[in-house]
Amino acid sequence: MTATPHIPQPPSTAVPVTPAASATPVTPSAPGPAAAPDPTGGALHEPVITWFDEHARDLPWRRPEAGPWGVMVSEFMLQQTPVNRVLPVYEQWVARWPRPADLAKEPPGEAVRAWGRLGYPRRALRLHGAAVAITERHGGDVPTDHAQLLALPGIGEYTAAAVASFAYGQRHAVLDTNVRRVLARAVTGVQYPPNATTAAERRLARALLPDDERTASRWAAASMELGALVCTAKNETCHRCPIAAQCAWRLAGKPAHDGPARRGQTYAGTDRQVRGKLLAVLREAVAPVPQAVLDRVWDEPVQRARALDGLVSDGLVEPLPGGLYRLPLT
DNA sequence: AAGACGTGGCT
DNA sequence: TAGCCAAGTCT
């Protein structure tokens, strides 16, 4: 992880000044500093990558032996789920299914069962579907091409870029919530990025991308790690930040977010909670479960039925004759 | 394009 | 405590 020889590069050669970059570095209405920050990545890449070399966590999917499949599995699991909760499930998963073809030949319900309590179990179904597609269309190897990755179930813009970058060292803008926050603060000068990813953010991320593949993929991992460990959503620790001295938000006095508060997602009493309870029963069961057993997880019959129907139509639950239910075999 | 979609830890 | 937050995707 930290074995890479430290070869400082002339910052000016990392990313040339481009018209596109200097055209849109700062949101016009942003309460940033009077002087626009350096719109190029030159001043950011070197310190952030050097910091990463020293402070990166030793995560299993970052080790060489993880391979593209390990990277891909980790990316699915990390979608909206914290690292600490992913770690044990990831280890079990790759030990049991070391290659896409190993997972592809299992019933989808086994993927859902092995997903455990990571949440958003449709991800398990999609990862299984991706393994099937990889086995059928790509000879069992995780595709290297961004467009082919994007075509797989459960892989969107972020995950396609992440797999291409982390597994294959390609040059892509990897724009996750961590990177968005780092750029919002360091470059744009605001506390939080917009609720939904904007074209301006993508433009900025592309403008900041180092020219060569090797540096670009390290920058992707490093900027993400900085957001995860230092430039966090709350209680950021600027004294540990390698680019604190040039952070537009900090230089502006760390003004509080002004826009609309992020929509809080209520959970108690929702269909999601009911679905979770139903699926928990089915995950633990070794045999098909009678409707009467499922009925015990929620007392309101209309919502309970709606939740179960939803699970069935999502393919997470398979109904059998006689009012029995189980995780899907097909 | 706003909302659905799990789960658990932290403040 | 109640809300916020965590490497998004899909419709």
Side-chain angles (χ1 to χ4, degrees):
Chain A
M1 193 56 52
T2 62
T4 305
H6 180 199
I7 305 174
Q9 301 174 350
S12 59
T13 65
V15 164
V17 177
T18 67
S22 52
T24 57
V26 176
T27 304
S29 60
D38 179 1
T40 72
L44 301 179
H45 303 149
E46 195 276 331
V48 173
I49 290 173
T50 298
W51 169 86
F52 183 68
D53 287 342
E54 290 174 27
H55 299 284
R57 292 166 292 180
D58 178 25
L59 300 170
W61 45 85
R62 287 179 176 163
R63 297 199 276 262
E65 58 267 32
W69 174 239
V71 171
M72 184 171 147
V73 169
S74 76
E75 289 302 336
F76 270 75
M77 293 182 172
L78 289 164
Q79 291 168 1
Q80 302 285 280
T81 302
V83 166
N84 288 331
R85 231 167 344 127
V86 164
L87 282 169
V89 183
Y90 170 85
E91 297 289 9
Q92 290 181 251
W93 194 284
V94 294
R96 180 173 176 185
W97 299 306
R99 299 162 304 177
D102 300 317
L103 176 58
K105 61 191 176 201
E106 295 269 5
E110 276 309 291
V112 174
R113 195 188 308 279
W115 199 251
R117 306 187 65 80
L118 286 183
Y120 292 145
R122 289 191 290 195
R123 291 180 293 166
L125 226 42
R126 290 170 183 155
L127 181 50
H128 179 272
V132 170
I134 288 170
T135 305
E136 292 175 350
R137 308 205 292 254
H138 303 293
D141 295 318
V142 175
T144 62
D145 181 63
H146 182 278
Q148 292 183 323
L149 287 165
L150 199 52
L152 297 172
I155 295 193
E157 187 55 46
Y158 160 76
T159 303
V163 172
S165 181
F166 302 154
Y168 295 117
Q170 293 174 25
R171 180 178 181 274
H172 292 281
V174 180
L175 202 51
D176 79 324
T177 187
N178 290 306
V179 176
R180 293 180 63 216
R181 188 172 53 248
V182 168
L183 297 186
R185 291 176 182 171
V187 181
T188 311
V190 297
Q191 186 177 22
Y192 295 121
N195 282 328
T197 305
T198 63
E201 288 183 274
R202 297 186 215 283
R203 215 178 303 127
L204 175 59
R206 263 184 276 119
L208 290 175
L209 208 50
D211 282 334
D212 73 285
E213 278 198 320
R214 162 102 178 136
T215 309
S217 62
R218 293 173 77 205
W219 159 251
S223 54
M224 193 175 308
E225 188 79 336
L226 186 63
L229 298 184
V230 174
C231 192
T232 48
K234 329 187 65 169
N235 303 99
E236 69 280 357
T237 50
C238 301
H239 67 92
R240 293 194 294 153
C241 180
I243 52 174
Q246 60 216 279
C247 174
W249 181 54
R250 183 171 163 278
L251 291 173
K254 300 171 75 166
H257 183 65
D258 56 355
R262 207 153 28 163
R263 277 185 45 72
Q265 23 164 234
T266 54
Y267 180 66
T270 62
D271 286 6
R272 292 161 76 176
Q273 184 181 24
V274 184
R275 288 166 56 106
K277 286 178 175 295
L278 290 169
L279 210 53
V281 171
L282 293 167
R283 271 199 311 265
E284 301 309 312
V286 295
V289 175
Q291 167 104 46
V293 173
L294 293 178
D295 286 350
R296 291 206 285 270
V297 310
W298 198 257
D299 55 11
E300 206 294 293
V302 173
Q303 186 177 29
R304 190 178 64 219
R306 186 172 64 232
L308 184 54
D309 281 353
L311 289 170
V312 171
S313 57
D314 285 348
L316 283 163
V317 171
E318 183 175 348
L320 300 173
L324 297 172
Y325 296 88
R326 69 179 174 200
L327 297 181
L329 248 38
T330 58

